[in-house]
Amino acid sequence: MARQAKAARDRAEPLSTMVYRSLVDRLRAGTLAPGSRLREEDIAAELGVSRTPVREALTRFQVRGLAGASSYGLTVTELDRRQVGELYAMRAVLEGAAARFAAENASAADLVAIRHAAEIFEEEAHDAASLARANAAFHESIYQTARNDYLMRMLEDLNDSLALLPRTTFQIPGRSEEAKREHAAILDAIERRDADAAEQAMRNHMHKALAGRLKLQFSLVARPA
């Protein structure tokens, strides 16, 4: 961790940004779970930095809704069902816009990149973790093709919030096969330059992802009387 701090200094990257990104990476890796307490002094010691950049990073964490005050101190946010629904509603809007812009702006090289990412998801990713990584790469290829810096910044913020969600929906049996078909519909619309169809296909993908997320994170099975 101390090496990360030195690397940040060498790149002239603010230490607070390095701390923030390190915490988000831990969320995504599952080593920092929702409800975990965030101790300023512990984080500073682990990363080999002073408490000032840690304090700044934790303030950013709070502003982004990734942490909040509790009776135990500052803790990682635990999303309830309503918040998960709101998060995916915004994801459908922003990712739908990205697919629309991709259909309008894609170059031949962009289409090759998106298709390659889709093929990796279909053919090379097998376990849930590799499927999640390949899925992220597919979506990232669309973000890049959209060519809209403002949208990219909003998606970055949104994806930081998605790190609060434990596990991956690809742990659900059959979800990866559904996602392959959804990816194919998105790719087909982008390749045909059909912006309306691309946006709708992406929104459908997000709605299916939300259904999987709710199934994974919240029990939908009625308890016996």
Side-chain angles (χ1 to χ4, degrees):
M1 292 299 181
R3 285 197 298 271
Q4 287 182 326
K6 182 179 184 301
R9 288 191 292 268
D10 291 343
R11 294 193 303 271
E13 178 182 81
L15 283 175
S16 61
T17 299
M18 182 278 295
V19 174
Y20 174 82
R21 296 263 38 112
S22 175
L23 293 173
V24 171
D25 288 344
R26 293 183 190 187
L27 280 175
R28 291 192 173 122
T31 57
L32 185 61
S36 300
R37 187 174 178 185
L38 296 166
R39 292 184 174 86
E40 189 178 292
E41 60 274 20
D42 292 346
I43 296 169
E46 289 171 12
L47 296 180
V49 300
S50 70
R51 292 175 66 168
T52 298
V54 175
R55 191 174 304 118
E56 293 171 354
L58 292 178
T59 297
R60 184 177 174 187
F61 236 54
Q62 287 181 279
V63 169
R64 294 283 177 85
L66 301 178
S70 72
S71 57
Y72 303 102
L74 190 65
T75 59
V76 177
T77 299
E78 296 182 87
L79 298 180
D80 60 27
R81 185 169 180 157
R82 175 187 61 80
Q83 290 170 311
V84 172
E86 291 176 354
L87 181 57
Y88 271 85
M90 285 307 303
R91 192 178 179 197
V93 171
L94 295 179
E95 297 240 15
R100 167 174 287 277
F101 294 152
E104 294 171 345
N105 298 324
S107 67
D110 291 328
L111 295 176
V112 169
I114 298 172
R115 177 167 288 282
H116 178 64
E119 289 172 350
I120 289 176
F121 184 88
E122 287 187 13
E123 299 170 7
E124 298 184 24
H126 303 290
D127 61 280
S130 64
L131 284 163
R133 287 192 297 271
N135 182 65
F138 175 76
H139 286 266
E140 180 67 27
S141 68
I142 293 173
Y143 303 164
Q144 296 294 335
T145 303
R147 292 193 176 83
N148 188 304
D149 291 341
Y150 296 98
L151 178 62
M152 183 70 85
R153 285 199 289 271
M154 287 188 284
L155 283 165
E156 182 179 345
D157 290 348
L158 184 76
N159 281 316
D160 285 352
S161 296
L162 287 171
L164 292 169
L165 301 176
R167 298 176 289 172
T168 169
T169 57
F170 296 117
Q171 292 174 314
I172 299 172
R175 177 59 195 144
S176 63
E177 294 304 315
E178 286 183 343
K180 289 175 185 178
R181 292 190 292 270
E182 293 156 21
H183 287 180
I186 295 165
L187 174 60
D188 175 67
I190 292 173
E191 289 182 327
R192 289 187 289 104
R193 310 288 184 177
D194 188 334
D196 289 340
E199 181 172 7
Q200 187 55 51
M202 181 63 83
R203 282 175 173 260
N204 179 64
H205 182 42
M206 292 298 102
H207 294 325
K208 294 292 183 64
L210 171 60
R213 172 56 58 185
L214 294 175
K215 182 178 181 180
L216 181 69
Q217 194 163 342
F218 303 99
S219 175
L220 300 183
V221 179
R223 294 181 179 179

